[in-house]
Amino acid sequence: MNIVTFATPVSVLPPKLWVVSLYLDTMTRDAFLSSKVGVLQLLSKDQSALVPLLGKQSGYCVTTDVVGKREACKRVNMEWTECCDFGLVEEEEGGVGYVRSITETMTPSSSSSLPIDILPKCASYMKLKVINTMRAGDHDVALCQVIQTGTWDESLQRVIPLSCSSEDATSRAMDQRRVLYTGQLRDEGII
């Protein structure tokens, strides 16, 4: 799991497109561009403590005395959870089904619903597929198509995929009172 530098929508009508800015020479960039798919998780206001844990340094730079991201999140009561029906793309390679996730793992599988780790209680979730990339200074910018969106259902303790035509789904995913913005991160001294 990682923090991206910038992410923004760039289309209104379908297909929904977003751009994601990825700092060069980072594990985040390499994993996302290698897998061509990932889940963008829009953090909720109460998840600001995750930003220093999941971002601000590349996984390539973490030393052995540093706790892993999964354990660090668990220590602040933001334990990762598996999501089986959201966030993966199955590809065929040499006749064998492989599931690729943003974590750069390749797992032989006959099932398209293998789990991917997500953070519970995010404001919204978007499964993205990379369409194109370009260099932009000290970042690569990935143009991505939104493949699926979802929202956290507290009663079910999982991500519920949303239909683009559902007004209720759109309002739940877009409730700006729940979203973590950079202004809050500045106020808290995180960035």
Side-chain angles (χ1 to χ4, degrees):
M1 230 166 285
N2 315 285
I3 299 293
V4 297
T5 307
F6 303 102
T8 190
V10 292
S11 70
V12 177
L13 298 175
K16 299 285 186 180
L17 301 174
W18 275 63
V19 291
V20 178
S21 181
L22 305 156
Y23 197 73
L24 298 177
D25 301 321
T26 61
M27 194 176 288
T28 301
R29 176 204 168 272
D30 293 347
F32 188 58
L33 296 183
S34 172
S35 68
K36 304 286 189 220
V37 69
V39 177
L40 184 61
Q41 302 173 79
L42 182 59
L43 298 181
S44 297
K45 284 185 173 188
D46 62 347
Q47 294 175 317
S48 62
L50 297 176
V51 173
L53 302 177
L54 298 174
K56 302 188 92 171
Q57 66 178 337
S58 171
Y60 292 139
C61 300
V62 175
T63 61
T64 55
D65 61 332
V66 175
V67 174
K69 291 180 179 186
R70 177 187 300 276
E71 181 62 28
C73 289
K74 185 177 181 179
R75 289 181 180 182
V76 295
N77 296 318
M78 298 283 182
E79 193 167 356
W80 300 0
T81 186
E82 287 183 349
C83 185
C84 292
D85 58 353
F86 191 84
L88 295 175
V89 168
E90 186 169 301
E91 298 181 9
E92 290 293 323
E93 289 192 0
V96 179
Y98 281 87
V99 177
R100 295 180 185 261
S101 77
I102 195 161
T103 57
E104 267 189 314
T105 58
M106 288 180 60
T107 309
S109 169
S110 60
S111 168
S112 63
S113 62
L114 287 179
I116 187 171
D117 290 324
I118 61 162
L119 291 166
K121 303 179 183 180
C122 287
S124 68
Y125 303 81
M126 284 183 283
K127 183 164 80 171
L128 302 176
K129 180 180 178 186
V130 176
I131 296 173
N132 202 350
T133 61
M134 67 175 281
R135 183 64 43 96
D138 57 358
H139 284 70
D140 276 340
V141 175
L143 176 64
C144 304
Q145 181 175 350
V146 177
I147 303 302
Q148 188 175 22
T149 61
T151 189
W152 184 257
D153 186 303
E154 189 61 32
S155 63
L156 297 175
Q157 292 291 297
R158 68 181 185 97
V159 175
I160 302 297
L162 301 177
S163 165
C164 293
S165 62
S166 168
E167 288 184 31
D168 177 55
T170 303
S171 65
R172 286 196 313 171
M174 297 299 189
D175 184 355
Q176 294 184 10
R177 297 169 295 181
R178 298 181 51 223
V179 176
L180 176 62
Y181 288 101
T182 55
Q184 178 182 336
L185 295 174
R186 285 188 191 95
D187 290 346
E188 293 178 13
I190 294 172
I191 59 172

